[in-house]
Amino acid sequence: MTLRERNRLRTAADVEAAALELFERHGYDHTTVEQIAVRAGISSATFFRYFRAKEDVLFSGEDASAGALVALVAQRRDRRRTVAALAEPVCRFAHGSVAGPATSGQRLTHLVMTTPALESRSLRLRLRWEREVAAQLAREAGTGRPDLGQTLAAAIAVSCLTSALRAGHHSGGSIAHLTRRAFAHCADLTR
Amino acid sequence: MTLRERNRLRTAADVEAAALELFERHGYDHTTVEQIAVRAGISSATFFRYFRAKEDVLFSGEDASAGALVALVAQRRDRRRTVAALAEPVCRFAHGSVAGPATSGQRLTHLVMTTPALESRSLRLRLRWEREVAAQLAREAGTGRPDLGQTLAAAIAVSCLTSALRAGHHSGGSIAHLTRRAFAHCADLTR
């Protein structure tokens, strides 16, 4: 990697860290590109050489989060292809990659899923999670395109997570705990 | 209603009918605003006085479709607030308002849910259905904001419909039949 490339990566990371801090402190809507640029020590013009829009700063962690979810599903202990078997990996994902406070990728995912102005992007993220979990279930079954049952199992499991995120957004409860409760509800609702 | 208002409504309806025929015949992506305008007997400039973009022609039926779904849920025979109790109204909705060939509103809904270029809009429509069904379940329970169980029941019921739409898009099967199969899968997947 050349010095120039390294500098580029470092600046992008600085901008993301600055944006994240401001979004968490003042809210996504009340933060301007100008403020992000000032905090990252660059000009607004430079900001737009790295990101097309304020929104795009939030989506560098998308691939990692989808990858983490699929890896957890692939490694789950309960090898059945039921909704119950997906509770453990999805709750671990909720705990680690969505609600966890640790990495900036995790904080970004949480922001995207709980900011109304980013609804379209968060819906696409949900669809992506559904598709990738369904694809993993299809791979395990040795089939090609996910069938109706696999598509539905993935949609229900991801709905447990997104319902928990929505409930947690209003109540402020723990997302991992709410996700576990959602999976328990599933059994009751479909009895 | 003045003559001018009546003419305005009639022109909007003509444009929608023209667009729908062209979308169904040549596909949404391969139809231009110019072609729609020519078929409706107006200029492209006039088209843009009625609709901001080609996409917007497709969304006049959204309110009616959401209203039809909520009405079916409200009138269902099985008064429980389980996923199984929602199978009958959602399948009726799939048969009548989504897959049915009868009204242009129904044909529009089907186009929106099966055109990849309209993914964001179709995801918002799905979210709207989920929210309105959850709100209906909350009204029945006499609570205010839908709780986690109501949100999840609505999300699972709507997932049965959207999974069926996705499967039907690939296989060409009957959406109402696939929706019924999806509800049957639900019971197996959550056993």
Side-chain angles (χ1 to χ4, degrees):
Chain A
M1 205 185 280
T2 65
L3 177 63
R4 191 173 168 175
E5 285 164 348
R6 278 207 305 278
N7 281 340
R8 218 187 133 73
L9 278 181
R10 198 176 301 143
T11 303
D14 287 349
V15 172
E16 279 175 32
L20 191 50
E21 275 195 46
L22 292 170
F23 292 160
E24 287 180 340
R25 193 176 311 164
H26 306 297
Y28 173 81
D29 294 321
H30 295 101
T31 301
T32 63
V33 164
E34 173 91 81
Q35 292 166 331
I36 298 169
V38 166
R39 191 174 185 90
I42 58 171
S43 67
S44 294
T46 303
F47 175 96
F48 287 112
R49 283 213 297 277
Y50 286 83
F51 300 98
R52 276 178 314 170
K54 181 172 77 167
E55 196 181 304
D56 289 343
V57 180
L58 287 164
F59 294 96
S60 63
E62 251 187 44
D63 291 347
S65 105
L69 176 57
V70 170
L72 287 167
V73 168
Q75 294 155 17
R76 74 188 182 282
R77 266 166 294 178
D78 184 341
R79 302 306 303 167
R80 290 174 304 160
R81 286 179 283 271
T82 61
V83 170
L86 298 174
E88 176 232 337
V90 173
C91 288
R92 284 179 62 194
F93 178 66
H95 186 71
S97 293
V98 179
T103 73
S104 65
Q106 294 163 7
R107 287 157 65 202
L108 286 170
T109 304
H110 187 249
L111 251 170
V112 170
M113 295 305 288
T114 55
T115 301
L118 299 169
E119 188 174 274
S120 281
R121 289 299 281 259
S122 95
L123 289 172
R124 293 174 87 98
L125 189 52
R126 174 186 176 185
L127 181 64
R128 181 170 178 186
W129 290 344
E130 288 180 354
R131 284 190 174 151
E132 301 214 2
V133 170
Q136 172 60 26
L137 297 180
R139 270 193 299 277
E140 292 175 11
T143 56
R145 195 197 297 286
D147 65 21
L148 185 60
Q150 289 153 353
T151 300
L152 192 59
I156 295 174
V158 172
S159 286
C160 286
L161 174 56
T162 54
S163 299
L165 279 162
R166 237 174 281 163
H169 182 58
H170 293 301
S171 72
S174 141
I175 305 302
H177 175 71
L178 287 165
T179 305
R180 194 160 293 285
R181 267 188 52 206
F183 274 97
H185 267 299
C186 257
D188 289 340
L189 287 168
T190 51
R191 191 167 286 163
Chain B
M1 206 185 278
T2 65
L3 177 63
R4 192 174 166 173
E5 285 164 347
R6 279 208 303 278
N7 280 340
R8 219 187 131 72
L9 277 181
R10 198 175 303 142
T11 304
D14 287 349
V15 172
E16 280 174 32
L20 191 50
E21 277 195 45
L22 292 170
F23 292 161
E24 289 179 340
R25 191 174 313 161
H26 307 297
Y28 173 81
D29 295 321
H30 295 101
T31 301
T32 64
V33 165
E34 174 90 79
Q35 291 167 330
I36 298 169
V38 166
R39 191 172 185 92
I42 57 171
S43 67
S44 294
T46 303
F47 175 96
F48 288 113
R49 285 214 297 278
Y50 287 82
F51 301 97
R52 276 179 312 171
K54 182 173 76 167
E55 195 181 306
D56 289 343
V57 180
L58 287 165
F59 294 96
S60 63
E62 250 187 44
D63 292 346
S65 105
L69 176 57
V70 170
L72 288 166
V73 168
Q75 295 155 16
R76 75 187 181 282
R77 269 166 291 180
D78 183 342
R79 302 307 302 167
R80 291 173 304 160
R81 288 180 280 274
T82 60
V83 171
L86 298 174
E88 177 233 338
V90 172
C91 288
R92 284 179 64 195
F93 177 67
H95 185 70
S97 291
V98 179
T103 74
S104 63
Q106 294 163 7
R107 286 157 65 201
L108 285 170
T109 305
H110 186 250
L111 251 169
V112 170
M113 296 304 290
T114 55
T115 301
L118 299 168
E119 188 174 273
S120 281
R121 289 299 280 262
S122 95
L123 289 172
R124 294 173 87 100
L125 190 52
R126 172 186 178 186
L127 182 64
R128 181 169 179 188
W129 290 345
E130 288 180 352
R131 284 190 175 149
E132 301 214 2
V133 170
Q136 173 60 26
L137 297 179
R139 271 194 297 279
E140 292 175 11
T143 56
R145 194 198 298 285
D147 64 21
L148 184 61
Q150 290 153 353
T151 301
L152 192 60
I156 295 174
V158 172
S159 286
C160 286
L161 175 55
T162 54
S163 299
L165 279 162
R166 235 172 284 163
H169 181 59
H170 293 299
S171 72
S174 142
I175 305 301
H177 175 71
L178 286 166
T179 304
R180 194 161 294 284
R181 266 187 52 206
F183 275 98
H185 267 298
C186 257
D188 290 340
L189 287 168
T190 52
R191 190 169 287 163

